[in-house]
Amino acid sequence: ELKVEQNPLFLSMQEGKNYTIYCNYSTTSDRLYWYRQDPGKSLESLFVLLSNGAVKQEGRLMASLDTKARLSTLHITAAVHDLSATYFCAGGSQGGNKLVFGAGTILRVKS
Amino acid sequence: NAGVTQTPKFQVLKTGQSMTLQCAQDMNHNSMYWYRQDPGMGLRLIYYSASEGTTDKGEVPNGYNVSRLNKREFSLRLESAAPSQTSVYFCASSEVKDKQYFGPGTRLTVT
């Protein structure tokens, strides 16, 4: 059974700093997703990672996938206040459509 | 193109009452999902439908039923609401192994 763990669960950052959110998963997963959720809102897809070594970047966010280590990372470069949100990773169950979500990382960027 | 829509947005129920949450998507996706979101626990899958005419249990199905009415619509029914079902409910849709698109959510309180 696939389990997904994120850390840290809460991250308070200063503007301009860099940081990384980690997502570990327990068994083989054939795809990894990152979502963003603003308070009181729905989830918005950020990245879809489908293969070992996949790296995707959008603005100040970069996501990568290491399937051998069962690890995905979301790297934040030079954080700005607008990045404050909750970030979820989710692993796809092999052979099916189901996703298993991590508990989420609450990111607060302070000016 | 509305994406995924959910009704109602908010609902308060008394213990033992029943209700149906409605979800519709206009992206012609085959797969649809119902999740609940509780603080600190990420999203947990209640039920999903891989294609029209099929439904399967997710991680937390007890106390819920679903109906895949047609390709567009997927409803979630609470037959006898309990305070433990107080949560935010999200519907989502996707193509096979693709990213999921989420609706705006229904905030349900059971007193």
Side-chain angles (χ1 to χ4, degrees), chain B residues 32-100:
Chain B
M32 297 185 73
Y33 314 83
W34 277 105
Y35 293 91
R36 62 177 287 171
Q37 183 177 28
D38 302 295
M41 300 188 74
L43 276 77
R44 292 182 292 168
L45 183 65
I46 304 171
Y47 271 92
Y48 69 104
S49 170
S51 60
E52 187 178 354
T54 69
T55 60
D56 277 295
K57 295 178 181 179
E59 183 185 351
V60 288
N62 291 345
Y64 305 94
N65 284 301
V66 290
S67 295
R68 183 74 183 266
L69 304 169
N70 47 55
K71 192 171 185 179
R72 288 187 67 246
E73 297 171 289
F74 189 37
S75 62
L76 178 72
R77 183 159 177 84
L78 287 70
E79 292 290 353
S80 179
S84 61
Q85 294 178 305
T86 293
S87 189
V88 180
Y89 291 84
F90 287 100
C91 177
S93 71
S94 77
E95 273 309 329
V96 176
K97 294 195 177 184
D98 198 2
K99 63 182 177 182
Q100 294 182 10

Side-chain angles (χ1 to χ4, degrees), chain A residues 39-105:
Chain A
K41 303 293 186 184
S42 186
L43 280 79
E44 172 192 356
S45 176
L46 293 173
F47 301 108
V48 180
L49 303 167
L50 298 176
S51 59
N52 188 43
V55 177
K56 294 208 173 171
Q57 183 160 6
E58 179 78 30
R60 300 173 187 274
L61 301 178
M62 183 173 72
S64 65
L65 179 62
D66 181 344
T67 57
K68 293 178 182 173
R70 295 180 185 161
L71 171 68
S72 180
T73 59
L74 181 67
H75 187 73
I76 302 151
T77 301
V80 294
H81 181 72
D82 284 354
L83 290 179
S84 296
T86 301
Y87 292 86
F88 293 95
C89 65
S93 59
Q94 262 205 317
N97 285 352
K98 292 192 290 185
L99 295 185
V100 177
F101 280 80
T105 296

Side-chain angles (χ1 to χ4, degrees), chain A residues 17-51:
Chain A
K17 299 291 189 184
N18 304 333
Y19 209 83
T20 300
I21 299 171
Y22 297 89
C23 176
N24 291 90
Y25 53 98
S26 60
T27 65
T28 304
S29 173
D30 58 5
R31 57 207 189 281
L32 198 293
Y33 302 83
W34 285 95
Y35 286 88
R36 169 182 170 143
Q37 185 180 37
D38 291 306
K41 303 293 186 184
S42 186
L43 280 79
E44 172 192 356
S45 176
L46 293 173
F47 301 108
V48 180
L49 303 167
L50 298 176
S51 59

